[in-house]
Amino acid sequence: MQGIQGKNVLVTGGSSGIGQAIAIRFGIEGANVAINYRKGLEAAQETEAAIQEGVDRCMNEIRDAGSKTMLVQADVSKPDEVNRMVDEVLAEFGGLDILINNAGFQIAGDSEEISLESFQRVLATNLTGAFQTAQRAIQHFLAEDKPGVIINVSSVHQRIPKPRFLSYAVSKGGMQNLTTTLALEYAGRKIRVNGIGPGATITPINRAWVDDPEKSAEVVKHIPMGRAATSEEMAAVTVFMCSDEAAYITGQTLFVDGGLTLYPDFRTAWSSE
Ligand code: NAD
């Protein structure tokens, strides 16, 4: 895709699932990719190897451009670690062009019972971590007076309520305003801020249903397109949104959800006839 080759990209939570697929796709497109991981160095190294493999396999013609990868450990819920993560990327790559705020997790529980600590823990990673990393990236873009792109990996639950996952839904709702407000604030400074809103995607976060045929069938029943997404489908849209092909798009969240946000219950009229 146009405008990706040679760019320096940081993907948070890049050692598994959607983040891993995004990191690999950027590598295949010729970008230098910093893979942030909180733990599980082994998976992070696998991602790095897969990027290299992808580059080897698909990018012979741009090999001379020399895609680079690096691993950077940090818990994005911890301000000091976010600062160190960004500093390490700047030191290694000499700059940053694209930030993918992907790290996220969820905790289930009835809302009348969840602890304040668990609520804040989800917000600290999914929303505050994304804000702080975006802030550091924007400071860098402004200091260098260069264009920058930020993608917030949100969720259909930015729009659709999620009972028993209140902190997750609140974090993704907050992400919508993180995206739109930053987009508006920096639109005149060559910085684009967008989101993607994945629907049900086959990744480790969905262990609870992915490996259970009955539960999987129940999930798929609710999806108008009749199947869950792959991480690669999320990666393709993410890289497009960062490319020059999307140069005029800012402040948008693109839902990549097989129709989940289209009120699937209304597939057939049930209240008018
Ligand atoms: P995943 O669990 O495979 O990936 C999440 C990654 O974030 C993991 O690598 C995890 O280690 C990392 N992470 C969590 N807390 C972190 C922290 N404090 N610091 C650094 N890294 C941290 O799941 P996934 O499905 O690939 O999720 C990626 C993103 O996509 C998340 O933001 C999630 O909310 C979003 N999403 C996923 C789905 C889905 O169905 N899989 C749907 C909508 C949105």
Side-chain angles (χ1 to χ4, degrees), residues 10-45:
L10 167 61
V11 183
T12 68
S15 65
S16 67
I18 293 171
Q20 184 180 56
I22 290 172
I24 291 169
R25 182 66 193 261
F26 270 115
I28 289 171
E29 296 283 342
N32 303 316
V33 188
I35 301 154
N36 156 250
Y37 68 100
R38 183 185 46 167
K39 52 185 186 183
L41 181 59
E42 230 167 67
Q45 277 167 343

Side-chain angles (χ1 to χ4, degrees), residues 13 15-19 36 38 74-77 102-105 125 153-155 168 172 198-201 203-206:
S15 65
S16 67
I18 293 171
N36 156 250
R38 183 185 46 167
D75 178 339
V76 300
S77 71
N102 166 78
F105 77 112
T125 289
V153 179
S154 183
S155 166
Y168 185 77
K172 298 302 187 180
T201 310
T203 72
I205 211 175
N206 288 323

Side-chain angles (χ1 to χ4, degrees), residues 124-172:
T125 289
N126 296 12
L127 186 57
T128 313
F131 151 66
Q132 207 211 338
T133 316
Q135 185 183 49
R136 280 299 317 268
I138 289 168
Q139 286 167 354
H140 171 71
F141 301 150
L142 294 177
E144 301 282 313
D145 191 25
K146 69 176 183 185
V149 183
I150 297 172
I151 298 289
N152 293 318
V153 179
S154 183
S155 166
V156 288
H157 296 295
Q158 169 174 314
R159 187 182 280 177
I160 303 173
K162 193 171 188 184
R164 299 196 69 255
F165 290 85
L166 180 66
S167 52
Y168 185 77
V170 168
S171 73
K172 298 302 187 180

Side-chain angles (χ1 to χ4, degrees), residues 52-123:
Q52 212 47 59
E53 199 184 296
V55 169
D56 285 351
R57 204 176 51 235
C58 307
M59 299 301 292
N60 286 336
E61 71 272 29
I62 59 158
R63 234 187 197 161
D64 292 345
S67 268
K68 288 189 274 187
T69 60
M70 69 175 282
L71 294 172
V72 53
Q73 190 281 328
D75 178 339
V76 300
S77 71
K78 304 207 165 114
D80 292 352
E81 297 194 19
V82 170
N83 282 328
R84 178 183 45 75
M85 169 178 72
V86 175
D87 287 344
E88 277 182 32
V89 175
L90 295 180
E92 176 78 17
F93 285 169
L96 182 68
D97 305 291
I98 295 168
L99 165 66
I100 311 297
N101 272 322
N102 166 78
F105 77 112
Q106 56 188 0
I107 301 176
D110 293 335
S111 296
E112 82 273 18
E113 279 176 358
I114 53 174
S115 69
L116 180 59
E117 186 273 330
S118 94
F119 186 87
Q120 286 174 330
R121 203 144 51 85
V122 172
L123 270 283

